[in-house]
C-alpha cells in the first residue's frame, strides 16, 4: 500500500513537471501558434500549484504518522532541497551573471544572493526569482515547511482543515491588492505584479488543499463515497483543466479555480486507484522532478538555439522543443538526483537515526 501511494504521488509530480516545462517552452512560440494553443501551453504554469498540493499532502501524512521532532524535520527538509538548489544558484549565477534582468532590473545585488542562499528570497521583490529561475516556488515551499508543524497543531481533522482553507482563500484574494498598495512607489511595476502572483500567500490555498486532501482521504470511509465518485471527479477535473486552459477568461484562469480543479484530480485519482497517473513514464519524471524543474530552464534555451533556424511550422517546432527539453533535462536530472539529491536525503536519514538513537539511550 505504501509503495502504491508513493507511485501515485510520483505520478502526480511527473504530471506537474510536464505542465511546468510546457509553459516555458510554449512562451517561445506564443505569438506564432493559434491563440487556443498558446493559452493551453501557458496554463502549464498550474503544474507548480500541483507540486505544492502534493508536497502538503505528503508531508502532512508523514508528520501525522510519527511524533514531530522539529530539528529532525528541519534537517530532512533542508537536505532534501538545499544541495540541488545551491548548485542551481551557483550555476545560474555563473551562466547569467549579475547584470540587469527581467526579475532584477537593476541587477542582482549581494543582498539578493544572500537571501537566496538563506532561502529567504521569498520576502524580497528583487530576489524572489532573480538568482535561480523558478526560485519563487522554492521560496514558497520553504515558507510552507516552516509553517507546517504549527499548522498541523490546529488542523487535526477535516473540519479544522477546511476552516484554515477558508482563511487561506481570503488571504490569497487580499494578497495582490495589499502588495500593490504597499509597494505603490516601486518604479518597476512588473516586480510588484510578479510578487503579487509568486508570493506565498497567493499560493497558500494550494498547500492548504493538500492538507484538506489528506483528511478527505483519511475520512473517506466515513464519507461513504459511491464507487463512481473517484473516476467521475478525476474525469471532470481533467476536462475542466483542459477547457479552462484553452480559454482566455481571466477569472477562470485564476489560481483559485486551478487549485480546486487540481484538488479534484488529486482526490479523484487517489480514490479511483487509477493507473492513468502511475504510468512508468510519469513516475520516472516525478522521481527526478525537483532536479528537472531546476535544469529545464537552461535546456530550453539550448534546444531553442539549436532548433530556431529549422524551416518547419511553429507548432512542430514547439512539439520538437518540448520533447527534446523533456528528454535532455530528464537525463541531466537523473544524474543530479543520483549524485546530489539522493546523497543529501541519505545524510538526512542517517543523522536523524543517529539523533533518535542518542535520544533513546539518554
Amino acid at each position: 500500500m505504501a509503495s502504491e501511494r508513493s507511485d501515485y504521488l510520483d505520478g502526480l509530480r511527473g504530471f506537474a513537471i510536464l505542465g511546468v516545462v510546457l509553459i516555458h517552452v510554449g512562451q517561445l512560440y506564443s505569438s506564432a501558434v493559434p491563440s487556443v494553443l498558446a493559452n493551453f501551453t501557458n496554463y502549464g504554469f498550474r503544474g507548480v500549484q500541483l507540486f505544492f498540493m502534493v508536497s502538503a499532502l505528503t508531508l502532512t501524512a508523514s508528520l501525522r504518522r510519527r511524533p514531530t521532532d522539529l530539528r529532525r524535520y528541519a534537517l530532512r527538509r533542508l537536505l532534501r532541497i538545499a544541495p540541488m538548489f545551491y548548485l542551481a544558484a551557483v550555476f545560474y549565477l555563473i551562466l547569467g551573471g549579475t547584470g540587469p534582468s527581467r526579475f532584477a532590473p537593476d541587477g542582482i545585488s549581494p543582498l539578493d544572493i544572500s537571501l537566496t542562499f538563506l532561502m529567504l528570497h521569498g520576502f524580497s521583490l528583487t530576489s524572489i526569482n532573480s538568482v535561480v529561475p523558478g526560485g519563487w516556488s522554492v521560496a514558497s515551499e520553504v515558507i510552507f515547511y516552516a509553517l507546517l508543524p504549527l499548522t498541523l497543531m490546529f488542523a487535526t481533522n477535516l473540519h479544522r482543515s477546511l476552516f484554515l482553507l477558508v482563511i487561506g482563500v481570503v488571504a490569497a484574494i487580499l494578497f495582490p491588492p495589499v502588495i500593490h498598495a504597499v509597494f505603490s512607489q516601486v518604479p518597476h511595476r512588473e516586480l510588484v505584479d510578479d510578487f503579487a502572483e509568486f508570493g506565498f500567500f497567493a499560493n497558500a490555498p494550494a498547500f492548504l488543499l493538500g492538507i484538506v486532501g489528506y483528511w478527505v482521504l483519511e475520512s473517506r470511509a466515513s464519507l461513504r463515497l459511491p464507487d463512481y465518485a473517484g473516476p467521475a471527479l478525476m474525469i471532470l477535473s481533467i476536462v475542466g483543466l483542459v477547457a479552462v486552459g484553452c480559454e482566455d477568461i481571466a477569472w477562470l484562469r485564476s489560481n483559485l479555480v486551478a487549485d480546486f480543479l487540481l484538488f479534484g484530480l488529486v482526490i479523484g485519482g487517489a480514490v479511483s486507484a487509477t493507473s492513468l497517473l502511475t504510468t512508468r513514464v510519469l513516475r520516472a519524471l516525478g522521481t527526478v522532478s525537483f532536479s528537472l524543474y531546476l535544469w529545464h530552464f537552461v535546456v530550453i534555451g539550448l534546444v531553442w538555439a539549436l532548433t530556431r533556424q529549422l524551416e518547419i511550422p511553429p507548432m512542430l517546432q514547439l512539439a520538437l522543443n518540448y520533447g527534446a527539453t523533456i528528454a535532455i533535462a530528464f537525463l541531466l536530472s537523473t544524474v543530479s538526483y543520483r549524485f546530489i539529491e539522493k546523497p543529501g536525503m541519505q545524510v538526512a536519514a542517517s543523522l536523524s537515526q543517529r539523533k533518535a538513537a542518542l535520544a533513546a539511550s539518554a
Side-chain angles (χ1 to χ4, degrees):
M1 184 63 70
S3 176
E4 292 176 0
R5 182 168 60 248
S6 177
D7 287 348
Y8 174 63
L9 294 172
D10 278 338
L12 287 172
R13 294 185 185 100
F15 187 76
I17 195 62
L18 288 176
V20 172
V21 176
L22 182 62
I23 177 182
H24 294 130
V25 173
Q27 285 173 338
L28 299 175
Y29 304 93
S30 59
S31 61
V33 299
S35 59
V36 171
L37 180 58
N39 290 339
F40 182 75
T41 59
N42 192 56
Y43 204 60
F45 176 79
R46 302 310 176 189
V48 177
Q49 290 163 259
L50 181 55
F51 274 127
F52 291 159
M53 207 172 295
V54 173
S55 175
L57 175 60
T58 304
L59 288 176
T60 300
S62 175
L63 293 178
R64 291 290 302 176
R65 281 198 305 269
R66 63 178 73 92
T68 304
D69 182 316
L70 291 180
R71 285 182 297 179
R72 192 182 311 171
Y73 166 77
L75 180 66
R76 282 180 175 271
R77 292 299 93 213
L78 176 66
L79 290 177
R80 176 63 187 91
I81 63 173
M84 189 61 211
F85 181 70
Y86 288 156
L87 173 66
V90 172
F91 174 80
Y92 283 111
L93 282 171
I94 293 173
L95 182 69
T98 59
S101 64
R102 165 72 173 78
F103 295 102
D106 299 320
I108 298 174
S109 68
L111 178 61
D112 294 329
I113 296 172
S114 299
L115 289 173
T116 299
F117 277 88
L118 290 171
M119 295 190 184
L120 298 174
H121 53 298
F123 297 99
S124 165
L125 293 182
T126 57
S127 66
I128 191 170
N129 207 47
S130 59
V131 176
V132 179
W136 68 271
S137 65
V138 178
S140 287
E141 192 77 36
V142 170
I143 294 171
F144 172 70
Y145 289 165
L147 294 176
L148 182 60
L150 181 63
T151 302
L152 294 184
M153 291 176 65
F154 179 83
T156 54
N157 55 47
L158 180 57
H159 292 96
R160 286 180 165 225
S161 300
L162 288 170
F163 178 73
L164 284 181
L165 175 61
V166 171
I167 295 176
V169 168
V170 172
I173 293 171
L174 294 177
F175 184 70
V178 169
I179 290 300
H180 281 95
V182 171
F183 296 105
S184 60
Q185 302 304 312
V186 173
H188 301 290
R189 299 311 301 165
E190 69 278 4
L191 290 181
V192 182
D193 294 338
D194 290 334
F195 194 82
E197 184 174 13
F198 293 159
F200 172 76
F201 287 105
N203 296 283
F207 289 110
L208 291 169
L209 277 167
I211 297 174
V212 170
Y214 166 80
W215 284 111
V216 168
L217 295 176
E218 284 291 297
S219 311
R220 58 181 166 176
S222 60
L223 294 175
R224 297 179 182 178
L225 299 174
D227 293 340
Y228 61 81
L233 184 58
M234 186 180 69
I235 291 170
L236 286 173
S237 298
I238 292 174
V239 171
L241 287 166
V242 173
V244 172
C246 293
E247 289 291 338
D248 192 22
I249 303 172
W251 72 268
L252 266 181
R253 295 173 69 86
S254 67
N255 279 12
L256 287 175
V257 172
D259 285 336
F260 285 96
L261 288 172
L262 291 168
F263 179 75
L265 176 67
V266 171
I267 299 303
V271 172
S272 62
T274 178
S275 60
L276 180 65
L277 295 171
T278 57
T279 64
R280 186 175 180 180
V281 171
L282 284 180
R283 285 188 284 112
L285 290 170
T287 299
V288 300
S289 57
F290 183 54
S291 278
L292 207 159
Y293 178 80
L294 295 172
W295 281 124
H296 84 276
F297 295 98
V298 68
V299 174
I300 287 175
L302 174 63
V303 175
W304 166 250
L306 294 175
T307 62
R308 63 187 301 181
Q309 301 303 326
L310 295 177
E311 296 184 0
I312 57 177
M315 289 179 63
L316 186 57
Q317 273 201 34
L318 190 158
L320 177 62
N321 193 325
Y322 183 62
T325 297
I326 292 291
I328 296 171
F330 175 75
L331 292 176
L332 289 172
S333 302
T334 300
V335 174
S336 57
Y337 178 80
R338 170 67 179 82
F339 294 104
I340 299 173
E341 288 189 72
K342 202 167 184 180
M345 290 186 282
Q346 290 170 341
V347 169
S350 176
L351 291 175
S352 295
Q353 291 172 358
R354 188 178 305 173
K355 286 184 178 181
L358 290 174
S361 62

